[in-house]
Amino acid sequence: MHGRWRPVGRLVRDAGRGDAVSRRELLSVRGRSVAWLVPLVLLAGIVAADTTTDAFQIISWTVLVPGVAAAICGTLETGLFAALAVAVFVLADTTWQHQDRTDTSGLVLVVLGGLVAVAVAALRVAGERRMMRMRDIADTTRRTVLRPLPEGFGGLDHAAVYLPADTEARVGGDFYDIQPGPHGTRVLIGDVQGKGLGAVETAAALLSTFREAGYHEADLGTVAERMETRMVRHRRQTAALGRSDGDRFATAVLIGFCDDLPDAVDAVVLGHDPPLAVGPRGVRELPTVGGLPLGMAELAPGARVSVNRVALARDETLLLVTDGVTEARDAEGRFYRHGEEVARAVAADPRDAAPRRLVALVRDGTLRHCRGRLADDTMVFAVRRLNG
């Protein structure tokens, strides 16, 4: 079952990489571009058709060759095909002469068509280079916010996938991290309200606070309070700068793994869907008492953050998702029930409870359910103790 779903995610992921990247891969063989073959075959076909028929002068169609090259080749290649088209036209008109000579207007058409094609190719290549630079910047930003985590980091087996609703932006307000420290290993997943660079900036601010507080603070509730303070400070700074997105909030889940608690974890749920515990015995929702999202503590002044200590067997995996999963809808408007689908998959094959397989299962199920049309940024994160 899991093997059948995997290509769905790959197709949608590849579709979002941009026309330039897709075209480059489609017209490449072993990393080498073969785009030049298309206009070359077209030119050969025009010459062959012109020399085998006397009905009309097909040689004038050589004007199409540099136009095709402009769409898929570089500027230099397009210029070469423009010159080649002119040369073939002149040879057909002066050397082969199997038909009546064409007038000067045909030659002028081929020359002008070649010049226009070269200009179009130059503009297209410059645009693609700008787009690739922007994508590199977006990827660098994403790696800064969602830093790559090595295998086994903090003594945890983990896997994550992030799918932005805006495939060109490639980054949004969903975030996660793992922070080992003297008080155990802390795990975070969150979702900033809204989209765009403002959401990314807010996510980066919360992550920086988590990485510091998660390391130094012994109490997980204090870590959450530090993040609440940072959220309020960030909103005030945004408002002071005169920006209109200063009312953001963020939902989050904090999980604390400690060596002294091999069969339990501490959990803080802040306006987020509770994690699911997935294991050989099935799927269950962690029994936690939730709190307000980050940035909304002023609605309940004086309230303390609830830290829930819940049982978690060593062979159970925690599955955490953002609302891109829970709010995915099919053609009839029905929400995606990822918990039910995970339960069926694990019942059929308990190996699907492993983090990597679990993340791929939920990712592909979400994409299949909404037909690849994500309404919001989507994060799927799975984590368990090593040797679970």
Side-chain angles (χ1 to χ4, degrees):
M1 182 182 301
H2 169 64
R4 183 176 69 249
W5 291 347
R6 183 173 297 174
V8 178
R10 184 182 302 119
L11 288 173
V12 175
R13 186 170 61 252
D14 290 346
R17 288 183 298 176
D19 293 339
V21 177
S22 301
R23 180 168 55 246
R24 189 171 301 166
E25 292 184 354
L26 181 64
L27 298 173
S28 298
V29 175
R30 297 181 180 180
R32 293 180 177 273
S33 175
V34 293
W36 54 271
L37 283 174
V38 177
L40 183 63
V41 170
L42 175 61
L43 181 60
I46 291 173
V47 172
D50 184 74
T51 55
T52 56
T53 180
D54 294 328
F56 53 93
Q57 292 179 330
I58 301 178
I59 198 63
S60 298
W61 292 7
T62 52
V63 70
L64 299 176
V65 174
V68 171
I72 58 177
C73 298
T75 306
L76 178 60
E77 291 90 342
T78 302
L80 292 175
F81 275 109
L84 186 59
V86 172
V88 168
F89 183 89
V90 172
L91 284 173
D93 204 29
T94 61
T95 303
W96 301 330
Q97 291 188 353
H98 69 287
Q99 296 183 10
D100 294 334
R101 292 171 60 91
T102 61
D103 53 22
T104 307
S105 60
L107 178 60
V108 172
L109 176 65
V110 175
V111 172
L112 289 178
L115 293 175
V116 171
V118 171
V120 170
L123 292 174
R124 195 205 84 237
V125 169
E128 288 182 354
R129 287 175 178 169
R130 285 194 298 270
M131 184 188 70
M132 296 303 294
R133 283 197 296 269
M134 293 301 296
R135 293 176 74 84
D136 288 341
I137 292 172
D139 282 339
T140 301
T141 302
R142 179 168 55 85
R143 287 192 297 270
T144 301
V145 176
L146 305 178
R147 60 179 178 176
L149 300 174
E151 293 185 9
F153 189 59
L156 300 177
D157 182 12
H158 60 86
V161 63
Y162 173 67
L163 300 173
D166 183 352
T167 56
E168 293 302 322
R170 300 171 68 85
V171 66
D174 291 5
F175 56 93
Y176 72 95
D177 201 13
I178 297 175
Q179 181 58 59
H183 309 291
T185 298
R186 274 68 187 269
V187 172
L188 168 69
I189 186 172
D191 182 3
V192 176
Q193 173 263 336
K195 298 181 178 64
L197 293 178
V200 178
E201 183 182 2
T202 303
L206 293 174
L207 280 168
S208 64
T209 299
F210 166 74
R211 290 163 185 167
E212 287 298 312
Y215 181 88
H216 292 288
E217 300 293 345
D219 180 57
L220 196 62
T222 304
V223 177
E225 290 171 357
R226 291 273 301 275
M227 293 179 66
E228 168 68 25
T229 301
R230 181 59 185 272
M231 185 72 190
V232 173
R233 289 174 52 205
H234 181 74
R235 289 168 55 177
R236 289 174 179 170
Q237 181 186 25
T238 302
L241 292 174
R243 285 168 35 186
S244 59
D245 59 347
D247 58 346
R248 293 186 188 275
F249 62 88
T251 64
V253 175
L254 288 162
I255 303 291
F257 291 86
C258 183
D259 292 338
D260 297 335
L261 298 170
D263 298 315
V265 293
D266 289 333
V268 174
V269 179
L270 302 169
H272 203 90
D273 290 324
L276 297 180
V278 182
R281 292 166 296 281
V283 179
R284 62 187 177 90
E285 185 177 285
L286 289 191
T288 57
V289 177
L292 292 171
L294 295 170
M296 302 183 70
E298 59 186 16
L299 299 179
R304 295 286 297 176
V305 173
S306 298
V307 179
N308 306 271
R309 181 157 292 176
V310 294
L312 184 71
R314 294 192 66 87
D315 59 357
E316 286 186 308
T317 300
L318 283 181
L319 173 63
L320 305 101
V321 302
T322 59
D323 54 14
V325 174
T326 57
E327 296 181 5
R329 296 174 182 259
D330 62 11
E332 298 178 1
R334 294 173 298 189
F335 289 108
Y336 175 51
R337 307 294 183 184
H338 70 287
E340 298 175 5
E341 190 148 16
V342 167
R344 288 193 296 270
V346 173
D349 185 355
R351 293 176 300 176
D352 278 335
R356 288 186 181 277
R357 297 183 64 163
L358 189 57
V359 163
L361 190 152
V362 176
R363 175 201 64 193
D364 295 347
T366 302
L367 292 171
R368 187 182 63 253
H369 186 80
C370 68
R371 308 173 308 285
R373 301 188 183 105
L374 297 172
D376 199 355
D377 297 332
T378 300
M379 178 77 71
V380 185
F381 186 41
V383 59
R384 68 179 179 186
R385 293 182 174 90
L386 283 175
N387 303 318

